[in-house]
Amino acid sequence: MSTPKLSTIVKATVDALAVAARNFIKPERITVYYPYEKLEYARMRGWIGLWTEKCTSCMLCARICPTNAIKMYPAPNTKRYPGIDYGRCIMCHFCIDICPTDALYPTPIKELAFYDYKEMIYTPDMEREPPKIQEPYKSVKVAIKYEGGIPKKVRLE
Ligand code: SF4
Ligand code: SF4
């Protein structure tokens, strides 16, 4: 391995000092203090709802799921309805796209938090009822917005 030139070392050092000085004078950060601040969930998809009344138990959703997150649960009416394991789900929404009766639908709920892995496993009854939204105890600010797919920092007071 060849030794770097002195000019390269000097340039790298000056660049590093310039970054340090810039951040000292005008601090910037790319992390957010969740839940007081949050990212804008630009193209992220949300929690999936289910209307069992529309479901024909065709199982297409379970078959197309790339992570095997959907399990069909037997119902008292002899049908089978899908439940989703959100520990596996990658929110691709293939299941929604393929559902021939629109029994599965997207929601804007994108923040899901669980205490335990078992809580991530939603049965069809749970899929019928969107999760309760709890507001953080301080106001939330959007710290990073996406413009044309590129994250832009928003200056916070
Ligand atoms: S959104 Fe994708 S990963 Fe999640 S259950 Fe549907 S098909 Fe499976
Ligand atoms: S694809 Fe739609 S109709 Fe078929 S089992 Fe899944 S939710 Fe029910």
Side-chain angles (χ1 to χ4, degrees), residues 5-154:
K5 285 186 191 165
L6 182 62
S7 60
T8 307
I9 296 171
V10 171
K11 183 178 178 314
T13 308
V14 169
D15 286 350
L17 287 172
V19 170
R22 199 168 59 239
N23 276 282
F24 181 74
I25 296 163
K26 194 177 171 186
E28 287 186 352
R29 59 186 163 84
I30 57 168
T31 52
V32 293
Y33 302 135
Y34 187 85
Y36 310 125
E37 301 165 3
K38 65 177 181 179
L39 304 175
E40 186 184 57
Y41 303 110
R43 294 168 53 205
M44 189 179 160
R45 300 181 176 98
W47 184 84
I48 297 155
L50 169 70
W51 277 298
T52 47
E53 302 82 357
K54 292 186 177 183
C55 178
T56 58
S57 306
C58 69
M59 289 182 61
L60 283 174
C61 53
R63 288 206 176 122
I64 202 167
C65 178
T67 61
N68 209 13
I70 299 184
K71 180 179 166 189
M72 300 300 291
Y73 291 80
N77 61 4
T78 69
K79 283 181 150 188
R80 284 180 177 265
Y81 297 125
I84 297 176
D85 178 349
Y86 286 96
R88 286 172 169 260
C89 176
I90 54 172
M91 299 292 186
C92 65
H93 283 193
F94 284 0
C95 51
I96 294 175
D97 293 343
I98 203 165
C99 179
T101 60
D102 291 337
L104 292 170
Y105 62 92
T107 73
I109 301 169
K110 296 173 181 173
E111 294 175 54
L112 296 171
F114 305 93
Y115 285 108
D116 181 304
Y117 180 76
K118 287 183 198 142
E119 292 178 12
M120 296 175 156
I121 301 170
Y122 274 55
T123 60
D125 281 346
M126 293 160 82
E127 288 297 337
R128 286 174 58 85
E129 198 61 44
K132 301 268 180 301
I133 295 180
Q134 294 179 1
E135 292 299 332
Y137 47 93
K138 282 190 187 174
S139 64
V140 167
K141 298 168 181 173
V142 174
I144 296 181
K145 282 180 181 281
Y146 284 79
E147 288 172 19
I150 298 167
K152 302 268 183 197
K153 270 177 263 182
V154 176

